[in-house]
Amino acid sequence: MNMSVLTLQEYEFEKQFNENEAIQWMQENWKKSFLFSALYAAFVFGGRHLMNKRAKFELRKPLVLWSLTLAVFSIFGALRTGAYMVYILMTKGLKQSVCDQGFYNGPVSKFWAYAFVLSKAPELGDTIFIVLRKQKLIFLHWYHHITVLLYSWYSYKDMVAGGGWFMTMNYSVHAVMYSYYALRAAGFRVSRKFAMFITLSQITQMLMGCVINYLVFYWMQHDQCHSHFQNIFWSSLMYLSYLVLFCHFFFEAYIGKMRKTTKAE
């Protein structure tokens, strides 16, 4: 059995998935992501206000189940989309991996591409636990959730270039991140270096996102990539803002604290 058959061997649910119906639904309904974002923002700020004078909820068991579910989903997504992307890279090269629209309608990846964009709506539930447990809620958290939801739904409907890279990277980082959250919620002691690794992975993802956007823009000028300037503009702005915010978070959460500890000693 050759590599292509092994890599692109589909499960029955992947074969049965109708990507044309999915893309059509998203083209007709993608603007609902604005409604979800508005309701989410209302909950974030309204919920924090309501919780000010209330005792926090423990919610440890539900949080373990939530994080574990998203971890398993992300692991499968990373493995399946990663297999497709590795195959395209090895057989057709970097340009094809960036510009190929087959990620949206090809074997294996088509189901996971749609699952990815849909998952950005329920992932908003992360913040429910932060609000109800009265944990610190930073700007990066809710800004990231809203903008990823809006951009994912907006991009999927147009099947724009670069999606394979964006989704595979996000699946991979989330596979590690939600596994970490599940372990912490379950009471396991996890090294601080693990958290640092996750943040560095997120920073690397944002750097790669900027690079992929540049490649899409460059090859689009030569009619070799399917995208449009508006999409590249919003995507680049989004990734650059994430890069700045994650770098700032890394400095504040790790470098800054290390310096304070050193001075105290």
Side-chain angles (χ1 to χ4, degrees):
M1 187 176 289
N2 61 38
M3 179 186 170
S4 64
V5 174
L6 283 171
T7 304
L8 303 181
Q9 187 173 10
E10 294 178 279
Y11 294 109
E12 190 60 33
F13 70 91
E14 293 171 334
K15 288 181 180 179
Q16 297 298 322
F17 177 69
N18 189 325
E19 72 279 10
N20 293 322
E21 289 183 1
I23 293 169
Q24 182 180 350
W25 186 91
M26 192 60 72
Q27 289 172 345
E28 296 171 353
N29 295 278
W30 77 274
K31 291 183 180 179
K32 289 180 180 177
S33 60
F34 286 98
L35 173 61
F36 296 147
S37 297
L39 292 173
Y40 170 74
F43 171 81
V44 168
F45 298 106
R48 292 183 71 193
H49 178 73
L50 289 173
M51 289 299 296
N52 274 337
K53 296 181 180 179
R54 289 172 170 78
K56 68 178 181 179
F57 293 88
E58 185 62 28
L59 300 177
R60 184 171 294 275
K61 289 182 179 179
L63 182 56
V64 172
L65 180 61
W66 175 263
S67 299
L68 186 60
T69 300
L70 288 174
V72 172
F73 168 72
S74 299
I75 289 169
F76 274 101
L79 290 173
R80 300 305 282 161
T81 58
Y84 179 87
M85 291 300 292
V86 168
Y87 169 74
I88 297 298
L89 271 169
M90 294 184 68
T91 59
K92 299 182 180 180
L94 177 63
K95 182 187 293 186
Q96 187 69 12
S97 74
V98 173
C99 298
D100 183 25
Q101 288 183 281
F103 188 84
Y104 297 94
N105 54 24
V108 177
S109 59
K110 62 181 183 180
F111 170 85
W112 294 99
Y114 191 54
F116 175 88
V117 297
L118 288 185
S119 71
K120 297 308 160 188
E123 276 183 12
L124 298 176
D126 288 351
T127 318
I128 293 176
F129 291 98
I130 293 177
V131 171
L132 295 182
R133 300 178 80 206
K134 299 183 74 170
Q135 295 178 317
K136 183 179 180 180
L137 179 63
I138 60 175
F139 170 76
L140 172 59
H141 176 90
W142 60 265
Y143 167 74
H144 181 70
H145 270 302
I146 288 176
T147 49
V148 169
L149 170 63
L150 293 174
Y151 179 73
S152 297
W153 285 40
Y154 166 69
S155 295
Y156 180 84
K157 69 180 178 62
D158 294 329
M159 299 172 61
V160 295
W165 277 92
F166 297 148
M167 295 186 207
T168 302
M169 288 191 296
N170 193 265
Y171 266 134
S172 300
V173 171
H174 277 202
V176 179
M177 183 184 75
Y178 281 115
S179 296
Y180 170 76
Y181 290 160
L183 290 171
R184 285 289 303 272
F188 289 96
R189 296 184 63 182
V190 186
S191 172
R192 185 176 177 80
K193 293 180 180 179
F194 197 176
M196 291 179 67
F197 170 76
I198 292 171
T199 306
L200 286 172
S201 298
Q202 291 168 320
I203 291 172
T204 302
Q205 177 191 352
M206 303 319 157
L207 281 170
M208 283 296 298
C210 293
V211 171
I212 296 301
N213 272 316
Y214 170 77
L215 293 176
V216 171
F217 177 74
Y218 176 78
W219 284 320
M220 186 182 72
Q221 305 307 302
H222 300 82
D223 296 322
Q224 296 171 327
C225 260
H226 171 72
S227 190
H228 47 84
F229 179 78
Q230 188 179 35
N231 185 283
I232 295 173
F233 172 80
W234 289 116
S235 181
S236 298
L237 185 63
M238 182 181 71
Y239 271 103
L240 284 170
S241 66
Y242 293 163
L243 179 60
V244 171
L245 289 169
F246 274 109
C247 286
H248 179 264
F249 174 78
F250 184 84
F251 181 84
E252 290 293 320
Y254 305 114
I255 306 301
K257 287 185 178 179
M258 287 172 63
R259 287 182 177 177
K260 289 179 181 178
T261 302
T262 303
K263 288 181 179 179
E265 293 174 349

